Amino acid sequence: MSIGVPLPPGSTIGIFGSGQLGRMLTLAAARLGLKTHIFAPTGPDSPAAQVAQTYTQAEYEDLDAVKAFAENCDALTYEFENVPAETAKVAAHCKPLHPSAACLNVAQDRLTEKLFISEKAGVPVAPFEAIDSKEGLKRALQNLGGSCVLKTRRFGYDGKGQMIIRTEADIEQAWDKLGTQSVIAEAFIPFVREVSVLCARGADGQTAAYPLVENVHQNHILHTSIAPAPRDMGRAKELALNIMQALDYVGVMATEFFELEDGSFLVNEIAPRVHNSGHWTQDAGCTDQFEQHIRAVAGWPLGNPNPKHGVVMTNLIGKDANDWKALAREENSFLHLYGKNEAREGRKMGHVNRIVPTS
Amino acid sequence: MSIGVPLPPGSTIGIFGSGQLGRMLTLAAARLGLKTHIFAPTGPDSPAAQVAQTYTQAEYEDLDAVKAFAENCDALTYEFENVPAETAKVAAHCKPLHPSAACLNVAQDRLTEKLFISEKAGVPVAPFEAIDSKEGLKRALQNLGGSCVLKTRRFGYDGKGQMIIRTEADIEQAWDKLGTQSVIAEAFIPFVREVSVLCARGADGQTAAYPLVENVHQNHILHTSIAPAPRDMGRAKELALNIMQALDYVGVMATEFFELEDGSFLVNEIAPRVHNSGHWTQDAGCTDQFEQHIRAVAGWPLGNPNPKHGVVMTNLIGKDANDWKALAREENSFLHLYGKNEAREGRKMGHVNRIVPTS
């Protein structure tokens, strides 16, 4: 099913997942007079369920619940890429699901993703090899230049499900840890910086691209996004739009790149959803990524992606959020908290957008 | 009861009223990780109830329900000034209510308000007289210069409960219409423009004043706010802060002024709450009035009230909201819709904030 006319105010967008992304999608939808219905196995006090108009608590594998949920909505989307394929299929059979089940399929598996990006979209990725044995990993290590990153094909995030292999001696330990899953080996890329591009694409093929963002990670978790990134030749944006076009993508998509010393880009991965590296858009004087995604999913025209000033976004991870009083006092900052109670280590509790003075 | 330490994220702000102001207060609170509990007689599909975490449907006069509601919240406020005095008293006895019941008392009655503003706060208002008979109105008409505006002391809004008396011949009709209620007569003021000032005041006396706004009314309903207003000598801001100081006010307050030809200001009225003439703050790159009010009520430090650029706010009244598709397509506009189904004549359905290009 696809979207025809724009959904009128009062319509309901169904969202799989009840984390902070679903929460911010819900708040953006409410601004436009649209409602959301959250579907997730987590409790009613989870971040998105707290603010949504309707909430279904059920397992993603409960296809009867999925069907009832989808029937109750006017359009469907998700806040995370690990929605099971069968769930997406059942949902998409009832109501328009965007990004499509085909996009999910590509993004859920690193091997499928890299093959699609490099072969179908013609966009460069780091050299990689599918691995199915310890011996295969040894051969790949030589082919990939003597060091590589071993990554699980599915369910990796924030550095989970990956290990760096610097020499042959590291193979044993890496294989013990990850070898029971489907894995790929990627060449170890000596990048200058990690950047990402956030673009939206409407059902009519209209696109809106935000400026390039430079990302700084700490402990494999995004720490800071600097937007717009200091140097932006526009090339990364073009590559990201090529991928979206090849996917016939509808919604907001994040594309993470490694920028190399010669100024060229390799795609690291795509996220078929709103993304942490786009949180800065909320306080940049443009249409933010959450409203943009809702607009695309509801068949509305896309909004303006051009920021009026720079923003540095910093995640509040675990106990960082305990500083809320001091952060609330900062003069040119906007504080966003996700309604989570427990400040567990590594847990994203909120973020702060600091306006960069225009010189 | 007053606020001591700032309420931590996860706390619940109780709000009397379930219209668009309560809705936008709720969305702003959610951004900060705070919850709201709405209390109103209207149904669960009313604008604020749709987005709030908790909702009590009850009459304002149901004091048992008011008590149970207040006990369930950490701090209390309201989106409209006609909360019954007894309701405010019972609520304030349970939990901190801001602005206070005393502020409500002043703002609910035009006579009390004018006496307070002119005598206690020392801020000029239009000449006025309390009227208790048709003969009294005749005398007042002469004292006030041969024409006046007859206004009910209570429950007037958007031009309702007032009539202009241009000559003695208008008295009969005006008295027939309004004479059964308590009324006052105000001198008819030949103003140059209508302006308003929005200020916030914290429990600790800290204040934050937004720039002067010029307001254009159509059919007695606010149509457009231009922010910042073209000429602002700062005097209106000072007068508004004097009133808030005299009221020991906590929260956001709007003060509406008539600006006279000589550049002086007379207070028309105050609104002890967030206000339609402050909606522009949502897209001005500063802390918006809704977050500002929530911060004050929750005992948080106030945010930055200085806009980064100009904004023209236009209300979408009745069928105006049918243009949502065209409005969503405007490049430098932000659309806000309130989740109301029926576009009745005169009903505020949403607003649009248009960014003014900085020259």
Side-chain angles (χ1 to χ4, degrees), chain A residues 79-292:
Chain A
E79 61 150 24
F80 72 118
E81 55 271 43
N82 290 320
V83 177
E86 193 60 20
T87 304
K89 199 177 136 194
V90 167
H93 190 72
C94 295
K95 292 292 165 64
L97 172 74
H98 291 292
S100 70
C103 296
L104 260 182
N105 182 50
V106 166
Q108 281 178 344
D109 182 314
R110 286 187 196 279
L111 182 61
T112 319
E113 180 177 310
K114 278 172 200 296
L115 288 169
F116 184 93
I117 293 171
S118 54
E119 293 177 10
K120 293 272 170 53
V123 171
V125 300
F128 64 96
E129 287 195 25
I131 305 293
D132 52 14
S133 68
K134 212 191 289 186
E135 290 63 43
L137 178 54
K138 266 186 203 155
R139 280 194 303 276
L141 191 65
Q142 292 181 324
N143 297 342
L144 295 171
S147 64
C148 71
V149 187
L150 191 66
K151 295 182 177 180
T152 58
R153 283 171 56 178
R154 302 177 72 93
F155 303 115
Y157 71 99
D158 287 351
K160 289 184 174 56
Q162 50 182 279
M163 289 194 80
I164 297 174
I165 299 181
R166 293 177 204 280
T167 69
E168 248 193 60
D170 295 337
I171 286 182
E172 282 299 326
Q173 201 196 343
W175 193 255
D176 280 354
K177 193 155 178 203
L178 302 177
T180 55
Q181 298 165 66
S182 296
V183 286
I184 64 170
E186 282 178 35
F188 192 77
I189 302 295
F191 58 83
V192 181
R193 54 179 186 164
E194 291 177 82
V195 295
S196 62
V197 166
L198 204 74
C199 300
R201 190 166 177 275
D204 59 355
Q206 183 201 3
T207 59
Y210 293 90
L212 192 73
V213 172
E214 185 170 336
N215 299 311
V216 181
H217 289 78
Q218 280 182 6
N219 304 321
H220 300 286
I221 303 176
L222 180 63
H223 181 262
T224 302
S225 293
I226 301 154
R231 288 164 284 112
D232 179 8
M233 310 305 284
R235 176 76 181 139
K237 205 181 270 190
E238 198 185 307
L239 297 174
L241 289 172
N242 286 351
I243 299 171
M244 291 175 88
Q245 169 99 33
L247 285 167
D248 194 16
Y249 193 97
V250 174
V252 163
M253 185 176 101
T255 310
E256 295 183 18
F257 293 95
F258 298 127
E259 186 176 338
L260 309 188
E261 211 153 342
D262 64 359
S264 66
F265 295 96
L266 297 179
V267 172
N268 178 24
E269 61 181 12
I270 59 172
R273 52 170 170 82
V274 288
H275 192 257
N276 197 165
S277 71
H279 290 0
W280 64 274
T281 58
Q282 294 176 307
D283 298 299
C286 55
T287 299
D288 74 42
Q289 67 164 343
F290 302 101
E291 178 172 331
Q292 197 72 285

Side-chain angles (χ1 to χ4, degrees), chain B residues 40 58 72 81 94 187 306 313 346:
Chain B
N72 195 32
E81 54 272 44
C94 294
N306 302 311
M313 186 290 307

Side-chain angles (χ1 to χ4, degrees), chain B residues 18-186:
Chain B
S18 187
Q20 63 268 20
L21 301 179
R23 179 184 180 92
M24 292 185 276
L25 284 168
T26 293
L27 297 178
R31 222 159 48 213
L32 298 177
L34 294 164
K35 299 178 178 177
T36 69
H37 181 158
I38 301 291
F39 185 109
T42 48
D45 201 38
S46 51
Q50 277 176 30
V51 295
Q53 285 70 57
T54 321
Y55 175 57
T56 296
Q57 183 170 7
E59 298 298 323
Y60 296 117
E61 293 75 14
D62 180 346
L63 298 181
D64 289 336
V66 168
K67 210 174 158 216
F69 158 73
E71 293 293 358
N72 195 32
C73 299
D74 299 298
L76 303 167
T77 189
Y78 41 86
E79 61 151 22
F80 73 118
E81 54 272 44
N82 291 319
V83 177
E86 192 62 20
T87 305
K89 200 177 135 192
V90 167
H93 190 73
C94 294
K95 292 290 164 66
L97 172 74
H98 291 292
S100 70
C103 296
L104 260 183
N105 183 51
V106 166
Q108 282 178 342
D109 182 315
R110 286 187 195 278
L111 181 61
T112 317
E113 181 177 311
K114 278 172 200 297
L115 288 169
F116 184 92
I117 292 172
S118 54
E119 293 177 10
K120 293 268 170 55
V123 171
V125 299
F128 65 96
E129 286 195 24
I131 306 294
D132 53 14
S133 69
K134 210 191 288 184
E135 291 63 44
L137 177 54
K138 266 184 204 159
R139 281 194 302 275
L141 191 64
Q142 292 182 325
N143 296 343
L144 295 171
S147 65
C148 72
V149 188
L150 190 68
K151 295 182 177 179
T152 58
R153 283 171 55 179
R154 301 177 73 92
F155 301 117
Y157 72 97
D158 286 351
K160 287 182 175 58
Q162 51 181 277
M163 289 194 78
I164 297 174
I165 299 180
R166 291 176 205 282
T167 70
E168 248 194 60
D170 295 338
I171 286 182
E172 281 299 323
Q173 204 197 340
W175 193 255
D176 280 356
K177 194 155 179 203
L178 302 178
T180 55
Q181 297 165 66
S182 296
V183 287
I184 64 168
E186 282 179 35

Side-chain angles (χ1 to χ4, degrees), chain A residues 21-42:
Chain A
L21 302 179
R23 179 184 179 93
M24 292 185 277
L25 285 168
T26 293
L27 297 179
R31 223 159 47 210
L32 298 177
L34 294 163
K35 298 176 179 180
T36 69
H37 182 157
I38 300 292
F39 185 108
T42 47

Side-chain angles (χ1 to χ4, degrees), chain B residues 3 77-81 97-108 113 116 197-208 240-255 270-275 289 292-293 296-297 302:
Chain B
I3 305 165
T77 189
Y78 41 86
E79 61 151 22
F80 73 118
E81 54 272 44
L97 172 74
H98 291 292
S100 70
C103 296
L104 260 183
N105 183 51
V106 166
Q108 282 178 342
E113 181 177 311
F116 184 92
V197 166
L198 204 74
C199 300
R201 190 166 176 275
D204 58 355
Q206 183 201 4
T207 60
L241 290 173
N242 286 351
I243 299 171
M244 292 175 87
Q245 168 97 33
L247 285 167
D248 194 16
Y249 193 97
V250 175
V252 162
M253 184 176 100
T255 310
I270 60 171
R273 52 171 169 84
V274 288
H275 192 257
Q289 66 164 345
Q292 198 71 285
H293 188 72
V297 169
L302 300 181

